Amino acid sequence: MKPVRVSLIGAGYFGQFHYDAWARMHDVEIVAMCVRPGEDASSTAVRYGVPATYEDAEMMVADTAPDIVDITAPPQAHKALLEGLAGKVRWIICQKPFCNSIDEARSVMAVVDSAGSRVIIHENVRFQPWYREIRQLMNDGAIGAPFQISFRLRPGDGQGHEAYLDRQPYFQTMPRFLIRETAIHWIDTFRFLFGEVTGIFADLHRLNPAIAGEDAGILQMTFQNGARGLFDGNRLADHAAANKRLTMGELLVEGSDGAIALDGNARLSRRVLGGTDWVPHAYAWANRNFGGDCVFATNRAALEALRTGSTVENEAKVYLRNMELVEAAYQSNEERRWVDV
């Protein structure tokens, strides 16, 4: 089987996880990378054996004919890149936050769809191995009928004037931060585990005056199946974990027959209804790359979809629903009311 040809755009902090994941796939060939004019990405090129570096994405695609273009650039670059590549490459992977707004995302997708390209948003948290295992346990009836899902985000990386500067400094200037950049991961994961969201309430605020946007808040959600969800986010507080960014927090899923808990060290435990003890649940996962190697898993799902022509669960058309829920959360916070979606 011929290797799948992949070109990447961007070489920033999170982009390194993308390069690492592709480079470990035996059936993938990284053929080129594109960076901003004047940006020195030679260390990335050497580390992952990238043979060619460009400063123009369309020229890169014309010269190297990739099967997949993986965009790891920030949101402000998405519109021009996606519209420029539409019709020139069949499959495009794009990091989130997707575009600058939901209206821009819809406009971009209209162009991309009409040109015959397909876009996958790199929503990788749902691909973390603990959430895949929880989904399988739920499918097997481990909790019975679902009642509630709750997640406490506590990475502890948001304090002081230096917050986020060592990894993603643009976090400091985002006017919408906690929900648009971070909570959207768990909005998507809640949908993966519990189904469609029908209503939302948000109470958001900013704790660190050094940043522009909100960095703490609570989201309440209702689901189509009648269950409830709670996202309790605080980027300044931390949780008990060897690596505070492994799971970013702690999860509890409850149902008619029992519950499943996830701790900060990615350990799962189960308790049956009426039981007094939490029983550890063993499962296989790799403590590699980011979030249990979820970047590898996300990219692999995209690769399989390309080869089989099947749909993939995080295609942009589906992901727009997450963006609608983000907008509903901000509307709720501004209007101080429950919003049906």
Side-chain angles (χ1 to χ4, degrees):
M1 186 179 294
K2 290 176 58 178
V4 171
R5 298 169 61 82
V6 175
S7 294
L8 294 96
I9 299 175
Y13 162 74
F14 206 86
Q16 300 303 311
F17 299 125
H18 288 243
Y19 285 91
D20 171 81
W22 290 122
R24 286 190 280 127
M25 297 186 194
H26 69 279
D27 50 355
V28 165
E29 178 185 4
I30 301 177
V31 295
M33 64 189 296
C34 180
V35 297
R36 292 170 297 184
E39 180 180 359
D40 182 8
S42 57
S43 61
T44 298
V46 170
R47 185 179 305 120
Y48 300 108
V50 184
T53 301
Y54 291 79
E55 294 182 349
D56 183 290
E58 293 179 53
M59 183 180 297
M60 175 185 71
V61 168
D63 288 351
T64 63
D67 301 301
I68 297 175
V69 170
D70 185 0
I71 299 173
T72 72
Q76 57 266 31
H78 293 174
K79 183 177 188 296
L81 287 170
L82 286 163
E83 291 182 350
L85 296 178
K88 299 180 176 68
V89 60
R90 174 63 172 155
W91 286 87
I92 304 170
I93 299 172
C94 187
Q95 255 297 342
K96 46 67 59 191
F98 183 38
C99 294
N100 290 309
S101 68
I102 190 168
D103 290 337
E104 183 175 278
R106 287 169 176 155
S107 172
V108 166
M109 285 310 302
V111 173
V112 171
D113 284 345
S114 65
S117 295
R118 292 172 68 179
V119 177
I120 296 170
I121 305 304
H122 204 278
E123 184 51 74
N124 50 60
V125 169
R126 67 159 58 203
F127 287 94
Q128 291 178 347
W130 34 92
Y131 293 126
R132 308 311 275 195
E133 184 71 10
I134 291 170
R135 172 68 177 267
Q136 186 59 55
L137 287 171
M138 291 178 63
N139 288 347
D140 292 341
I143 66 167
F147 287 159
Q148 184 163 312
I149 182 169
S150 56
F151 182 75
R152 296 174 67 254
L153 177 90
R154 298 291 190 272
D157 60 353
Q159 295 195 30
H161 291 283
E162 303 299 313
Y164 318 117
L165 294 182
D166 60 337
R167 291 190 311 272
Q168 290 153 298
Y170 64 91
F171 280 6
Q172 285 207 356
T173 60
M174 294 178 70
R176 291 179 164 187
F177 176 48
L178 179 70
I179 305 304
R180 181 169 184 257
E181 200 290 323
T182 306
I184 192 169
H185 285 304
W186 281 273
I187 289 173
D188 179 75
T189 300
F190 280 16
R191 292 178 63 212
F192 170 64
L193 294 174
F194 267 49
E196 201 50 75
V197 175
T198 58
I200 199 162
F201 175 82
D203 178 19
L204 313 175
H205 60 293
R206 182 181 62 180
L207 294 174
N208 186 348
I211 74 169
E214 82 285 357
D215 52 12
I218 291 175
L219 295 183
Q220 294 176 263
M221 284 164 264
T222 53
F223 297 91
Q224 209 162 46
N225 61 10
R228 298 295 190 265
L230 175 67
F231 172 88
D232 173 3
N234 186 319
R235 292 208 66 142
L236 283 70
D238 69 0
H239 63 295
N243 173 6
K244 304 294 190 285
R245 291 176 55 77
L246 178 62
T247 66
M248 301 279 280
E250 299 160 1
L251 181 91
L252 180 64
V253 178
E254 300 168 283
S256 60
D257 295 339
I260 304 168
L262 167 72
D263 73 8
N265 294 310
R267 293 177 299 209
L268 291 177
S269 55
R270 298 171 56 184
R271 187 180 64 82
V272 298
L273 186 70
T276 58
D277 296 321
W278 286 95
V279 178
H281 173 78
Y283 69 107
W285 65 281
N287 192 5
R288 186 171 187 172
N289 193 288
F290 172 80
D293 218 11
C294 65
V295 176
F296 186 98
T298 307
N299 290 1
R300 196 71 207 173
L303 188 67
E304 295 305 318
L306 181 150
R307 284 191 162 144
T308 63
S310 62
T311 58
V312 63
E313 57 198 73
N314 51 329
E315 284 199 48
K317 294 177 183 178
V318 178
Y319 190 80
L320 288 175
R321 179 60 175 174
N322 293 332
M323 299 181 71
E324 291 171 356
L325 295 171
V326 167
E327 290 300 311
Y330 284 115
Q331 179 187 351
S332 170
N333 183 66
E334 290 165 7
E335 299 178 3
R336 313 307 296 166
R337 69 178 182 88
W338 187 268
V339 174
D340 292 322
V341 283

